[in-house]
Amino acid sequence: MNEALAAAAASASGLTFVDRTEGETFVTYGDVRARARRTAGALRARGVETGDRVALVFPTSPAFLEAFFGVLLAGAVPVPLYPPVRLGRLAEYLVSTSRMIAAVGARLVLADATTRSLLGKAIESSRPPLGCVTLGDLGPAGELEAEIGPGALGLIQFSSGSTADPRPVALSHDGLMAQLAALRALLPREEALPQKGVSWLPLYHDMGLIGCLLQAVYYPGPLVLIPPELFLARPALWLRAIARHRATISVAPSFAYALCAKRVRDEDLGGADLSCWQVALCGAEPVSLDSLDRFARRFGPFGFDRRALRPVYGLAEAALAVTFTPGDREVKATRVDPVRLAATGEAVDGPRAVVSVGTPVPGTDVEVRGPDGSVLGELRVGRIFVRGPSVMAGYFGQPEATASALSGGWLDTGDLGFVAGGELHVCGREKNVIVIRGANHLPQEFEEALAGVEGVRAGCAVAVGFVPEGEDGEQLLVLAERARGTGPPADDEGTVERIRRAVLSHTGIRPHTVRLLEPGTLPRTSSGKLRRNEALRRFLAGALDPPVRVGRLRVLIEVVRSALAFTRVRLGGGAGRPTSA
Amino acid sequence: MDDVRAEVLAEIRRTLAADLEVAGPVELHHQLAADLQVDSVGALVLAVALEDRFRVSLAGTDAPSVVTVEDLVVVVERAVREGRAR
């Protein structure tokens, strides 16, 4: 990566930062490298050694670049973390940041001055040996550009921002370079048209960091960066920047296309011309055909070519991209019956459109496997496995988690999909991750928020992600069992409302659907653990039924299971049914 | 309630209604998340709108500890008074 920066520095190209008044600051790659070399020297003088992890907490700004490449040039490993939330939920933010700093054993945390002033408690509890400093604190100490040994780690990125169980994805320099080379091979040839990018994606996320920033450095070519919060507040900024800079490439999750179609007004665009936009990649969450179609129709009059839209699939554990769709065609989808899909694993013709995410990127292999590990044929739903040079080295410091994800060079993505017409279609997920607006969340985040909510049977609720009909992307579904003795319809409405409030105020995410169930309805393992994916499968197949009335033996089993599920059940009545909590 | 407070509350109400589709009344005691259903993206939209309207920066303030509408009014008002230009 350091060689790529040196090559980019020799070009006149660079990065443009857009601010909220749409003022712009241009920094050449030469500037970035010169500053990063000084940062590297200062980091080494501070005691940062080869292979040390350095956490970075910056907004989208030139300082992020200086810090990120400074760490790389010092031979250390950058770990970008997300900056503090703007309003509310600071306590949760500090807990998750502290856990991420601890999970990678960061030696030092670098932050901008504002963030540093908020991080106090996270630093206190995670105790990086060299503390938390700003770039200004580092002071001058000469320049440095360390040699990178073979197999050295180049980056650690988190696959989700969840508080419960952060998974640090460790990528080698070689893996990163393989990913960047594969991506470049998929772009239109340079001599045909030099690529010019615009991105509002966060720089602590694989798609924004590797797909946009590092790809621009590697290419090398110009990139315009917009802070993500400005895009969310004023989505038209993104489209205006593309038109103003005559950008050819930009990438975003499905929800961003939907947000623009909904919120951007004609007068916001002022006659902007989007015909320059040749590659409009869409990934990081399930791709919604509907959203892309609405976007294409909405901005067609502004010159947007719907053939520019290219759905892609990837995950942090594979560095970024796994499959790409080819250019110069319309978005392809296969229509399936969602109930049959959930019930039998067969993709048969039906009302739901599942978008094709194309074929593997160069150097990468993909297999869809059945429960017995055999590779499945077309239209059979199975688990997606990936092999290739940019697959992660492992979860940093977590050999058990690594062993369950990587086997014989194959990465178990935990995603479900099928092949149709030789192209991969992603239609679900077996791993416990909920993807909302391109961000990954663990179900525990939401389930923990339900502790103590009146009317909910303690420990008997699951959070899962699903794509509701007519929605633009994945949404949060909460399936919760009623507390015993509160059965319907007594206070269902109140309980649902309490669940919604608890989840939203703890997590900042609004549940799309909350469904209350009879006690004992949620499927469990033999040891009493809730089976989230099975619960979702039954929900989608319309088969979430309350348990049948049971005899005495089943009562005993039920009691044991309930006890194991951390629920107290007392036996009452004489009809052989478990009653009252 | 003086002018600045009233203006801040008006801007909060305007943004919630126009950009975040919050229907119904918005009062000082309402919790942004629990009562008004403002999610994390909504909170960002609200913060950016207030920063733009009052030409202040909410970064580095106690904005992250905001829970109710009144908390938010107080934070913005203080930033305005202290002339915390962005």
Side-chain angles (χ1 to χ4, degrees), chain B residues 2-66:
Chain B
D2 66 22
D3 289 355
V4 177
R5 292 193 61 142
E7 273 182 52
V8 174
L9 181 59
E11 180 64 16
I12 292 171
R13 286 179 169 148
R14 193 202 63 74
T15 306
L16 287 173
D19 295 339
L20 301 174
E21 296 169 358
V22 173
V26 172
E27 302 301 339
L28 287 171
H29 69 271
H30 281 148
Q31 294 190 10
L32 290 167
D35 297 324
L36 303 175
Q37 305 278 300
V38 175
D39 63 9
S40 53
V41 170
L44 263 177
V45 171
L46 194 54
V48 172
L50 290 165
E51 289 179 335
D52 280 356
R53 168 73 174 73
F54 296 99
R55 305 194 162 275
V56 294
S57 165
L58 296 181
T61 66
D62 41 8
S65 57
V66 160

Side-chain angles (χ1 to χ4, degrees), chain A residues 146-305:
Chain A
E147 286 283 314
I148 304 297
L153 288 189
L155 171 68
I156 295 179
Q157 56 182 354
F158 280 89
S159 62
S160 84
S162 290
T163 53
D165 187 15
R167 283 286 154 80
V169 174
L171 301 169
S172 67
H173 273 271
D174 296 342
L176 274 174
M177 297 313 284
Q179 171 73 201
L180 294 173
L183 291 177
R184 187 164 71 178
L186 291 161
L187 297 177
R189 294 287 294 276
E190 191 172 355
E191 50 269 33
L193 181 75
Q195 296 298 313
K196 210 171 182 191
V198 170
S199 171
W200 58 263
L201 298 172
L203 295 176
Y204 50 82
H205 185 278
D206 53 3
M207 211 159 165
L209 179 63
I210 301 173
C212 297
L213 177 62
L214 299 186
Q215 182 60 36
V217 169
Y218 179 80
Y219 187 77
L223 175 68
V224 177
L225 290 166
I226 301 167
E229 66 273 20
L230 287 190
F231 164 75
L232 292 170
R234 311 248 183 283
L237 275 176
W238 178 35
L239 305 182
R240 282 204 295 263
I242 289 169
R244 187 167 68 241
H245 287 273
R246 309 309 300 150
T248 59
I249 180 165
S250 196
V251 50
S254 208
F255 90 86
Y257 290 95
L259 185 70
C260 285
K262 187 171 165 201
R263 293 256 313 272
V264 176
R265 297 164 304 182
D266 280 4
E267 55 265 39
D268 294 332
L269 289 183
D273 172 15
L274 296 172
S275 61
C276 51
W277 193 0
Q278 298 185 333
V279 183
L281 299 170
C282 180
E285 65 174 338
V287 178
S288 152
L289 183 65
D290 229 34
S291 303
L292 297 186
D293 185 53
R294 259 181 287 137
F295 184 89
R297 276 188 278 121
R298 173 74 185 82
F299 300 107
F302 292 88
F304 182 75
D305 176 3

Side-chain angles (χ1 to χ4, degrees), chain A residues 363-367 385-391 408-411:
Chain A
T364 295
D365 299 315
V366 174
E367 285 181 0
F385 284 75
V386 177
R387 181 175 66 182
S390 57
V391 164
W410 286 92
L411 168 71

Side-chain angles (χ1 to χ4, degrees), chain A residues 2-338:
Chain A
N2 297 356
E3 285 161 32
L5 180 63
S11 74
S13 199
L15 301 162
T16 302
F17 293 85
V18 177
D19 68 24
R20 63 175 59 220
T21 61
E22 291 181 74
E24 298 188 339
T25 309
F26 177 71
V27 190
T28 64
Y29 292 126
D31 282 345
V32 170
R33 179 163 179 258
R35 289 193 215 176
R37 286 169 63 95
R38 289 194 287 274
T39 302
L43 287 170
R44 180 58 60 85
R46 275 260 158 182
V48 172
E49 299 295 331
T50 303
D52 281 351
R53 278 78 55 208
V54 178
L56 309 174
V57 200
F58 290 89
T60 295
S61 59
F64 174 88
L65 277 293
E66 202 175 324
F68 181 84
F69 286 108
V71 172
L72 278 179
L73 294 184
V77 184
V79 187
L81 303 180
Y82 62 108
V85 287
R86 234 9 184 282
L87 279 182
R89 297 178 44 244
L90 181 63
E92 290 91 340
Y93 169 78
L94 291 173
V95 170
S96 63
T97 302
S98 165
R99 287 188 184 159
M100 290 192 271
I101 293 170
V104 298
R107 192 153 171 80
L108 174 73
V109 178
L110 278 175
D112 63 294
T114 303
T115 302
R116 186 177 176 278
S117 68
L118 292 172
L119 279 179
K121 277 190 187 143
I123 301 300
E124 244 171 63
S125 54
S126 59
R127 300 189 188 198
L130 299 178
C132 175
V133 299
T134 67
L135 289 171
D137 295 338
L138 285 174
E143 297 190 352
L144 174 68
E145 183 157 348
E147 286 283 314
I148 304 297
L153 288 189
L155 171 68
I156 295 179
Q157 56 182 354
F158 280 89
S159 62
S160 84
S162 290
T163 53
D165 187 15
R167 283 286 154 80
V169 174
L171 301 169
S172 67
H173 273 271
D174 296 342
L176 274 174
M177 297 313 284
Q179 171 73 201
L180 294 173
L183 291 177
R184 187 164 71 178
L186 291 161
L187 297 177
R189 294 287 294 276
E190 191 172 355
E191 50 269 33
L193 181 75
Q195 296 298 313
K196 210 171 182 191
V198 170
S199 171
W200 58 263
L201 298 172
L203 295 176
Y204 50 82
H205 185 278
D206 53 3
M207 211 159 165
L209 179 63
I210 301 173
C212 297
L213 177 62
L214 299 186
Q215 182 60 36
V217 169
Y218 179 80
Y219 187 77
L223 175 68
V224 177
L225 290 166
I226 301 167
E229 66 273 20
L230 287 190
F231 164 75
L232 292 170
R234 311 248 183 283
L237 275 176
W238 178 35
L239 305 182
R240 282 204 295 263
I242 289 169
R244 187 167 68 241
H245 287 273
R246 309 309 300 150
T248 59
I249 180 165
S250 196
V251 50
S254 208
F255 90 86
Y257 290 95
L259 185 70
C260 285
K262 187 171 165 201
R263 293 256 313 272
V264 176
R265 297 164 304 182
D266 280 4
E267 55 265 39
D268 294 332
L269 289 183
D273 172 15
L274 296 172
S275 61
C276 51
W277 193 0
Q278 298 185 333
V279 183
L281 299 170
C282 180
E285 65 174 338
V287 178
S288 152
L289 183 65
D290 229 34
S291 303
L292 297 186
D293 185 53
R294 259 181 287 137
F295 184 89
R297 276 188 278 121
R298 173 74 185 82
F299 300 107
F302 292 88
F304 182 75
D305 176 3
R306 65 163 61 232
R307 299 166 73 86
L309 286 167
R310 291 169 69 175
V312 294
Y313 165 68
L315 67 168
E317 284 83 347
L320 172 63
V322 172
T323 65
F324 251 60
T325 42
D328 266 338
R329 73 168 200 201
E330 295 209 0
V331 175
K332 254 187 168 172
T334 300
R335 300 215 164 253
V336 300
D337 178 343

Side-chain angles (χ1 to χ4, degrees), chain A residues 457 481-487 519-520 558 562 567-569 578-581:
Chain A
R457 192 177 174 210
E481 294 182 3
R482 292 183 191 92
R484 287 184 188 277
T486 62
E558 174 72 7
S562 297
T567 310
R568 287 177 21 210
V569 174
T579 52
S580 78

